[in-house]
Amino acid sequence: MSPLERELRDRLRKIYVDGWVYWKDPPDYMERIERQVEVLRECVSRCLGCTATVQTTPGDINDYYDIECPLTSGFPESRAELDYDQLEQEGPAEYFQLLLSTVAPVVAGVWHRFFIRDGMRQHEMFDFLSEEWFAEHTEHKPMALEIIRKAEEQGLTVLGWDITLLPADKDWPLARLMPEDPDLRHYLFGGYYDDWGGIVKPVRDTF
């Protein structure tokens, strides 16, 4: 186990098992995160040449901020607003998404591609430093490295799927809508239950 993985597991156990009220330690914890979000939103906009917007904020089951920007001109600010007809006529549509956790000083980047195949909407996801993505988008690699540099300047660690897709500890409690066998991502970015890397884990119906 890497030192980073051990540090994250210890922190998550302290929060989810021991009940540590992390958002009050220090008192300006959430204000600090809000400042980080704005710095990163501006950085994503500048680096990728798009208008990045915050699409998700903490609340209810969500423990993360979601910064998104369309990489394909003419498409909505949020991938959640993609229209089937527009995608069929003008697609594929590509998006970048940066997730900032509120439970740990970490971020994760995801590249998205949406298109229509055989009448069905398709969704592909790629890790932030995916060589497969960069092979098709060589201009994005230096941009990604600059976003990482800016995140690290803010005291944040950028995580890849080698960490986020690791299984969570078996004795951690399951939150509402978590799958039965959650990964670290489900605790680091609570409420974000997309199919990272094509890995779909059905959520439990616990309303």
Side-chain angles (χ1 to χ4, degrees):
M1 183 182 298
S2 70
L4 174 59
E5 180 187 347
R6 170 47 58 201
E7 181 182 347
L8 289 173
R9 288 186 186 277
D10 288 347
R11 182 181 179 89
L12 293 173
R13 174 171 295 279
K14 189 176 177 182
I15 292 170
Y16 291 103
V17 177
D18 300 339
W20 176 36
V21 185
Y22 65 91
W23 63 88
K24 294 183 180 180
D25 186 9
D28 67 341
Y29 182 88
M30 293 305 296
E31 288 83 358
R32 185 181 305 174
I33 290 178
E34 290 171 3
R35 291 193 295 270
Q36 292 171 335
V37 169
E38 183 55 25
V39 169
L40 291 175
R41 187 197 65 76
E42 292 178 354
C43 179
V44 169
S45 295
R46 183 180 70 257
C47 289
L48 296 176
C50 59
T51 302
T53 56
V54 176
Q55 293 295 326
T56 301
T57 57
D60 191 19
I61 64 172
N62 296 325
D63 292 322
Y64 66 96
Y65 284 90
D66 169 21
I67 300 169
E68 292 187 30
C69 71
L71 302 172
T72 312
S73 62
F75 283 91
E77 290 182 342
S78 170
R79 59 198 174 84
E81 299 172 358
L82 274 174
D83 177 79
Y84 179 96
D85 291 336
Q86 183 184 12
L87 195 57
E88 184 176 41
Q89 295 167 16
E90 304 174 27
E94 295 179 337
Y95 283 77
F96 176 69
Q97 178 182 41
L98 191 67
L99 302 168
L100 193 155
S101 172
T102 59
V103 303
V106 298
V107 296
V110 184
W111 307 98
H112 297 264
R113 179 185 295 129
F114 299 88
F115 56 96
I116 304 297
R117 177 189 293 155
D118 298 329
M120 299 292 292
R121 172 170 152 154
Q122 306 294 321
H123 179 197
E124 295 178 340
M125 303 177 72
F126 301 82
D127 198 4
F128 197 7
L129 292 180
S130 165
E131 289 301 331
E132 182 181 357
W133 181 268
F134 294 148
E136 298 181 27
H137 307 79
T138 55
E139 74 281 8
H140 286 167
K141 188 167 187 176
M143 298 173 182
L145 294 176
E146 175 59 20
I147 294 170
I148 290 173
R149 187 192 68 78
K150 181 60 70 173
E152 290 175 344
E153 258 184 23
Q154 298 297 306
L156 301 167
T157 299
V158 180
L159 302 181
W161 290 351
D162 58 322
I163 293 291
T164 58
L165 294 180
L166 290 171
D169 289 6
K170 295 297 184 182
D171 63 334
W172 292 353
L174 295 176
R176 179 162 57 94
L177 296 182
M178 271 190 186
E180 294 289 349
D181 56 342
D183 304 322
L184 290 185
R185 57 178 164 148
H186 296 110
Y187 292 90
L188 289 167
F189 305 98
Y192 183 77
Y193 300 141
D194 218 330
D195 54 337
W196 294 37
I199 300 174
V200 182
K201 293 196 170 185
V203 298
R204 297 170 303 123
D205 181 8
T206 54
F207 277 108

